[in-house]
Amino acid sequence: MGLLELSTNENEYLSWLKKHPSALETFDEIIVKAKGDKIVVFLDYDGTLSNIVPNPDEAFMSKKMKTVVGEVARCFPTAIISGRSRDKVYEFVKLDDIYYAGSHGLDIAAPFQCIKGDEVVLFQPAQKYLPSIYKILDALKEETRNIKGVVLENNKFCVTVHFRHVSNKDFSMLEELVTSVVHNFKEFRLSNGKKVFEIRPDIEWDKGHALEYLLETLGYGSSNDVFPIYIGDDRTDEDAFKAIKNRGKGYSIVVSSTEKDTMALYSLRNPCDVKKFLSRLVSWKKGSN
């Protein structure tokens, strides 16, 4: 990439920032609007709490980020809503006082201290689709076995096809094969994410519905004094941004270092900025008590 192109991209980003200002630079404005309300924090995982990495199994968040997220959870009701399986997200985070929503919100569990007996699962609206998901995985393994760089991830109620390491010459073939497999399963839909294809049940449920469900579970469903803050970086997070917009209250924050179409009101450049924002939120909460 040449200097001219870099300069153009940076100018486009700066122009975009005027529409989606930094949540760090406008932090005081956010807090003023949230004053007197009950803040609930919603977080994506990959690209938000951890950096996007070549191997999806190594997407660990930093020790400092884990400490900050733990402090956030002690100050506010906190949920992580990810496309990963709920078990995988918990493996990465390992904090017990958080709501975990895996599979884009299709698998939701309460914090461990809220659980009675051995029953962990709160909500799994796609349970009946599990047999088909296993069949889709088997079909994808067979169809993509000769394409180098493909990584298939079973996220319990959805399947993720990672193509970050697939060569440009093989990409069209992969896209065609994945589309063909999904076409054979009428109850599923195909969508794109950051260097991934996502296959999930074609039901009326997404991260926005998960956000609303969790607010309802917390007793804030019809409350006028709740202030949700959602931070995420991917296309699937747009459903949550839309849900906040429809509520007419709360803040949506997209994590991006480049300009992009988004319904989010504010932005943060990267997970490092997310950590700074969450730290400021904790400091504000402690100082206001």
Side-chain angles (χ1 to χ4, degrees):
M1 186 180 291
L3 289 176
L4 181 60
E5 192 173 349
L6 275 172
S7 177
T8 301
N9 289 344
E10 186 64 21
N11 285 336
E12 288 176 351
Y13 180 69
L14 291 173
S15 177
W16 178 82
L17 272 179
K18 293 176 182 177
K19 299 176 185 175
H20 311 280
S22 166
L24 282 172
E25 293 179 13
T26 55
F27 182 83
D28 292 340
E29 175 188 324
I30 294 173
I31 291 307
V32 166
K33 292 189 178 179
K35 197 162 186 179
D37 292 334
K38 298 178 181 71
I39 291 176
V40 182
V41 178
F42 297 92
L43 303 163
D44 179 33
Y45 184 77
D46 292 275
T48 299
L49 299 181
S50 74
N51 290 315
I52 300 292
V53 294
N55 183 349
D57 289 333
E58 295 177 357
F60 302 103
M61 61 180 176
S62 67
K63 289 181 180 178
K64 288 183 179 179
M65 180 68 90
K66 180 175 180 177
T67 298
V68 170
V69 173
E71 290 176 345
V72 169
R74 284 189 286 275
C75 292
F76 312 98
T78 301
I80 295 177
I81 306 179
S82 172
R84 302 274 198 144
S85 73
R86 178 168 55 82
D87 290 343
K88 174 63 78 174
V89 177
Y90 180 76
E91 272 181 46
F92 283 139
V93 180
K94 290 184 177 174
L95 293 170
D96 291 340
D97 44 2
I98 286 176
Y99 284 83
Y100 289 91
S103 307
H104 300 290
L106 290 169
D107 187 9
I108 301 175
F112 283 100
Q113 67 264 35
C114 299
I115 294 162
K116 297 176 181 178
D118 297 325
E119 183 54 44
V120 172
V121 174
L122 268 183
F123 191 61
Q124 289 184 332
Q127 187 76 35
K128 71 174 186 177
Y129 297 97
L130 276 177
S132 293
I133 286 170
Y134 290 127
K135 290 177 183 176
I136 289 171
L137 271 167
D138 287 342
L140 287 171
K141 285 175 186 174
E142 176 64 24
E143 294 295 331
T144 66
R145 69 188 188 283
N146 294 323
I147 300 179
K148 190 175 180 181
V150 177
V151 176
L152 302 177
E153 187 175 11
N154 179 358
N155 286 316
K156 191 161 186 174
F157 294 107
C158 62
V159 177
T160 304
V161 182
H162 297 266
F163 55 79
R164 185 172 297 276
H165 300 298
V166 173
S167 67
N168 290 336
K169 68 180 178 65
D170 289 337
F171 175 76
S172 294
M173 184 195 305
L174 174 64
E175 186 175 33
E176 190 177 312
L177 288 172
V178 172
T179 302
S180 175
V181 168
V182 177
H183 183 72
N184 292 327
F185 294 85
K186 304 300 182 185
E187 293 181 308
F188 286 77
R189 63 182 174 185
L190 177 65
S191 60
N192 293 345
K194 284 188 175 178
K195 299 289 185 181
V196 297
F197 295 121
E198 301 272 12
I199 303 162
R200 48 183 162 148
D202 190 13
I203 60 176
E204 198 65 29
W205 196 266
D206 52 38
K207 288 186 175 184
H209 291 93
L211 180 148
E212 292 290 357
Y213 176 85
L214 285 163
L215 288 175
E216 190 74 40
T217 299
L218 288 162
Y220 301 141
S222 56
S223 175
N224 290 321
D225 64 349
V226 64
F227 195 90
I229 296 175
Y230 189 102
I231 309 177
D233 75 307
D234 211 347
R235 288 185 190 180
T236 55
D237 297 308
E238 294 294 327
D239 296 315
F241 298 157
K242 182 179 179 181
I244 288 179
K245 183 179 180 180
N246 290 342
R247 289 185 71 86
K249 202 170 194 180
Y251 272 107
S252 47
I253 303 171
V254 67
V255 183
S256 180
S257 58
T258 58
E259 62 94 18
K260 65 191 293 186
D261 289 334
T262 181
M263 294 188 74
L265 293 172
Y266 293 87
S267 66
L268 292 166
R269 262 189 113 102
N270 48 40
C272 183
D273 276 1
V274 173
K275 178 167 62 67
K276 290 176 184 176
F277 176 84
L278 294 176
S279 293
R280 286 192 67 179
L281 197 60
V282 168
S283 297
W284 168 80
K285 178 65 174 178
K286 289 179 177 178
S288 65
N289 287 341

